[in-house]
Amino acid sequence: MLIQQTGIGNSTVEILTTLLGCIADDFTGATDLAGLLARSGVKVSLRIGVPNEPPKDTAAFEIIALKTRTWPVSDAVNECLSALNWLQKTGAEQFFWKYCSTFDSTAEGNIGPVAEALMAELNCEQTIYCPAFPENGRSIYMGNLFVEEHPLAESSMKDHPLTPMRDSNLMRLLKPQVTKPVGLVNRLAVARGGDVIKSSLDSLKKEGVAHVVVDAVADADLEAIAHACQNMPLITGGSALAMPLPYLYIKNGELSELSAQRVTPQTGNASIVLSGSCSAMTRQQVATYIQTTPSFKLDPIMIARDGVAAALGWLEDQPMDVVPILYATAEPEDVAAAQAELGLEMAGDTIEQALADIAVAACAKGIRRFLVAGGETSGAVTKALDISTLDVGDEIAPGVPWCFSNCGGNSIAIALKSGNFGKETFFADALKMLDEI
Ligand code: ADP
């Protein structure tokens, strides 16, 4: 915590200056990042969308959660620049552009264009790209991204409904997205530590390489990379790369005190699970959970035709002491069939809107704990619940914290789970954890 003098008399007050301003391209990505930063014990604030008001009551780590992952480039760039503008007003001088650890982007991806726009605004000649998340099986070797033991393009990400990933090479993915040269600091350099990484980056900078993919296969690599990049105004990558940053700020004396400011407000027990993710792990989690609880499967084609009334009626009939699940989670062939019938965007939007409507009805029914699976889905649900700020609590699984907020004057708990995160028993584990707090 930084101690700053005020101009009033001789008094000294503690003002928590924001050290790191983060922009995340989807909501689960933002809570993932928030959970990892919060492991340090320092307060993390998560804002849903760019706040309308100027910064107030800011935390050392501020995260703005956007929903820009699949937006057209110019819209995504404008939104990220306005997020940057708000974060600059918090006093932050270092910024983090967070995207998915599987580099989810469309053919007209905006990861590179946003990075270039932020770099221009920050007057920064070079940044790094490191989506590795070793604890969750994402590693980068010789510029190629792996999910567990599979190259990205051979993992289940090849069938993602919105961002199917058909190439594993990050440099090849990035090149068409940026105007300046792309380079690599490979694992052989990373294994030699922070100073070697720094000198490799400096050599690339002299050659005019603005965009550098950096290999990482273990947490120790991420620590070395964070050390090498501690003076870079903009860092880009997955959430795990940000994990070492709080400790670096402490080491450098910029953050002089770890303050565990966790908040665990009381919420009612009534809970619900909403899943719009079709990722492989979510499919297993849903299959496990529906064995023991009441469940309602949402069919995009039927909802597009008949609306969401049947699901709402079913929810209304559920007793408050069970935790129902409503899910659109489906196998790739069913997703493809719905997309063929409705069109890709319409299929996704139909489900997102349906789950958003269900969340609102659940809140009206008195449900106060929400488990949401899927990045886009989480965006739709938080927006519908009109949630603007989340306080970040303990992690249920790596990258998925319980968060606390307010909805219509009621304290609520909400966990936003990215598609492939968590174990098979995630939903039951998450609910049990909250019961035990
Ligand atoms: P993840 O985190 O797994 O990527 P997302 O919520 O980000 O999950 O993305 C899943 C997308 O797939 C959402 O837009 C959702 O509405 C859509 N979707 C979910 N179920 C179906 C389905 N049965 N058919 C077509 N699209 C679906």
Side-chain angles (χ1 to χ4, degrees):
M1 201 174 288
L2 289 178
I3 309 291
Q4 297 185 346
Q5 299 281 346
T6 64
I8 310 160
N10 294 325
S11 64
T12 299
V13 293
E14 280 185 347
I15 300 173
L16 192 58
T17 303
T18 299
L19 293 170
L20 185 70
C22 309
I23 304 168
D25 72 348
D26 89 336
F27 289 23
T28 49
T31 53
D32 165 13
L33 176 64
L36 296 189
L37 285 168
R39 275 188 195 174
S40 65
V42 175
K43 187 171 177 196
V44 179
S45 266
L46 203 165
R47 320 271 170 173
I48 305 287
V50 184
N52 294 324
E53 303 295 318
K56 205 175 124 212
D57 300 330
T58 52
F61 301 104
E62 283 284 340
I63 301 171
I64 296 184
L66 300 178
K67 201 173 180 296
T68 52
R69 182 164 296 167
T70 54
W71 285 17
V73 164
S74 62
D75 295 349
V77 163
N78 287 339
E79 187 78 347
C80 290
L81 285 175
S82 82
L84 176 68
N85 186 266
W86 188 90
L87 289 166
Q88 283 175 310
K89 291 188 193 134
T90 66
E93 288 179 358
Q94 190 169 38
F95 301 89
F96 197 96
W97 166 222
K98 152 72 176 81
Y99 39 84
C100 190
S101 61
T102 42
F103 208 73
D104 302 17
S105 47
T106 61
E108 294 78 35
N110 62 46
I111 293 176
V114 167
E116 273 195 337
L118 299 177
M119 286 166 82
E121 193 66 22
L122 293 168
N123 230 342
C124 141
E125 287 170 50
Q126 188 184 60
T127 191
I128 61 157
Y129 296 77
C130 184
F133 193 162
E135 205 176 329
N136 273 349
R138 274 56 155 174
S139 56
I140 311 167
Y141 185 69
M142 298 298 160
N144 294 288
L145 184 56
F146 289 81
V147 176
E148 306 290 353
E149 294 177 353
H150 309 284
L152 176 66
E154 293 168 35
S155 75
S156 60
M157 282 306 295
K158 70 182 187 308
D159 297 319
H160 190 278
L162 304 177
T163 52
M165 300 307 292
R166 304 279 159 82
D167 193 346
S168 309
N169 187 283
L170 291 174
M171 288 145 73
R172 259 195 320 259
L173 286 165
L174 191 57
K175 228 176 225 162
Q177 297 188 8
V178 291
T179 60
K180 297 206 172 126
V182 176
L184 173 70
V185 174
N186 75 26
R187 165 77 177 126
L188 304 180
V190 171
R192 291 167 64 202
D195 294 342
V196 174
I197 300 169
K198 173 88 175 69
S199 62
S200 305
L201 288 168
D202 288 345
S203 309
L204 286 167
K205 197 195 268 182
K206 280 196 195 110
E207 294 164 23
V209 177
H211 306 281
V212 188
V213 173
V214 186
D215 281 353
V217 300
D219 281 353
D221 293 343
L222 297 176
E223 282 161 29
I225 296 164
H227 174 80
C229 298
Q230 55 187 312
N231 295 321
M232 243 182 205
L234 176 71
I235 299 174
T236 92
S239 55
L241 178 61
M243 205 166 36
L245 295 176
Y247 304 100
L248 275 176
Y249 291 127
I250 291 162
K251 202 168 143 212
N252 295 341
E254 289 168 273
L255 197 61
S256 64
E257 182 188 302
L258 274 182
S259 50
Q261 299 180 43
R262 290 288 160 74
V263 278
T264 34
Q266 292 301 312
T267 63
N269 291 339
S271 313
I272 191 167
V273 183
L274 301 170
S275 177
S277 158
C278 297
S279 298
M281 182 45 80
T282 307
R283 297 205 303 271
Q284 286 181 41
Q285 290 162 342
V286 169
T288 304
Y289 190 69
I290 60 176
Q291 284 171 21
T292 54
T293 52
S295 59
F296 187 100
K297 182 160 183 169
L298 303 162
D299 176 347
I301 298 174
M302 273 172 59
I303 293 175
R305 194 186 58 213
D306 304 331
V308 75
L312 297 179
W314 179 84
L315 175 63
E316 198 48 46
D317 291 343
Q318 300 308 305
M320 293 297 268
D321 59 349
V322 299
V323 183
I325 176 169
L326 293 101
Y327 65 100
T329 306
E331 297 299 316
E333 52 276 18
D334 297 330
V335 172
Q339 291 178 337
E341 174 88 15
L342 301 172
L344 186 142
E345 238 173 76
M346 170 79 168
D349 289 352
T350 302
I351 292 301
E352 288 172 35
Q353 189 55 52
L355 286 165
D357 292 347
I358 294 164
V360 170
C363 196
K365 181 177 157 79
I367 289 173
R368 298 287 175 261
R369 295 176 176 179
F370 297 81
L371 264 174
V372 187
E376 295 294 322
T377 309
S378 295
V381 167
T382 41
K383 188 160 177 244
L385 292 177
D386 203 17
I387 292 172
S388 59
T389 306
L390 293 165
D391 289 323
V392 182
D394 290 336
E395 281 176 296
I396 305 157
V400 199
W402 268 116
C403 296
F404 301 93
S405 191
N406 199 284
C407 181
N410 302 298
S411 285
I412 62 156
I414 186 162
L416 308 175
K417 187 196 84 75
S418 175
N420 279 317
F421 283 9
K423 294 190 297 188
E424 248 178 66
T425 53
F426 177 84
F427 297 132
D429 294 347
L431 294 164
K432 184 160 172 264
M433 184 176 156
L434 217 48
D435 284 339
E436 287 168 358
I437 288 176

